[in-house]
Amino acid sequence: MKRKVGIIGAGHVGTHVASALALRGIADEIVLLDSAPGKAYGMKLDLEDGTAYYPHNVIVKAGEYADFSDADILVNAASGPIQKDDRTKELKASMCVAQDIAQKIKASGFSGILISISNPCDVIAQYLAQETGLNVLGTGTALDGARVKVELAKSLHVDPHSIQGYSFGEHGNSQFVPLSVVTVCGIPFADYVRQKNIAFDAEGFLQWIKVKAWKIFDAKPCTEFGIGNACAEIIQAIFTDSRTVLPVSAMMNGEYGVRGMYLSVPRVIGRNGVVETAEFPVSEEERALLHKSGETVLANYTRGRELLS
């Protein structure tokens, strides 16, 4: 692999993906594309100024769809206006953007792995998979899963890397965190808090994971640093074939008794994208929450397709 990544959308999210890839030495070549004239070129100039300080040399270009023909990975960060309380409010505008870029991606000759960030993430990723026939995954709750570790680390006074925990379901308001499968330093979560005599507000924690993005939006235009690194982590797992377990959005094929829509559950990520789905021993209540989240995504997907007709 020459580790070439194309990014559609040179806004806050797309350029922070590019920045994370460059700063972490994950990509050798990054091609930016944006519908706004000159924007990708300006971002290219800005990003390349950091080349002297990146861990290895990286080439940054402003390009066109034809430049994606030999890319290994393509990132979709193109969307309509961002909403600040419900990602599904972005449905119509994002579906129209996805419809437009799907045809251009197909015409470009790109045949690698497509990672979609644009919201509503699960719906757009599924649409792009069906329209392009490519290997598509959504960043899904990879960002929310990072929030699980970060926020638990604050409450439990341990390093986030010492926590294994994920957010399941929709990258949206129906997501949930199955505390039954969370571990802290290898110890089941419930046992850890009991051993340390920690008073933990589970309901408040779960609610914060859902609304943290909206708190960020209240203070500034968008989330960007977290999702930039979440997407870079997925790309690194693909390039290194590391088989890292990350909660990304892909088609459910009967796992947890759910099928027929894109949802996030922990998946093994390697050279071919999602190479395996690890099924965790969630509780019956948590399984029911996943089914409910799937129904939400499927309804939004159906509605999104209708909006295009």
Side-chain angles (χ1 to χ4, degrees), residues 168-169 176 256 258 263 265 286-294:
F168 281 46
F176 66 99
Y256 304 94
V258 180
L263 281 179
V265 295
E286 291 161 347
R287 185 178 292 264
L289 288 172
L290 185 61
H291 281 246
K292 184 176 180 180
S293 189

Side-chain angles (χ1 to χ4, degrees), residues 88 91 123 126 260-261 292-307:
T88 60
L91 181 60
V123 171
Q126 183 169 346
M261 79 292 293
K292 184 176 180 180
S293 189
E295 291 169 2
T296 298
V297 171
L298 189 58
N300 287 329
Y301 182 76
T302 301
R303 179 167 168 262
R305 303 249 7 167
E306 291 171 351
L307 288 171

Side-chain angles (χ1 to χ4, degrees), residues 5 10 31-32 42 46 48 55 59 90 108 122 134 159 161 165 180 193 214 218 234 240 243 245 268 272 276 304:
V5 179
V31 180
L32 297 169
D46 199 2
E48 74 178 7
I59 298 170
E90 301 173 33
S108 75
D122 309 284
L134 293 168
D159 187 278
H161 295 91
S180 68
V193 295
W214 313 133
D218 285 343
I234 296 168
T240 61
R243 299 183 66 86
V245 177
V268 181
N272 296 318
E276 187 180 343

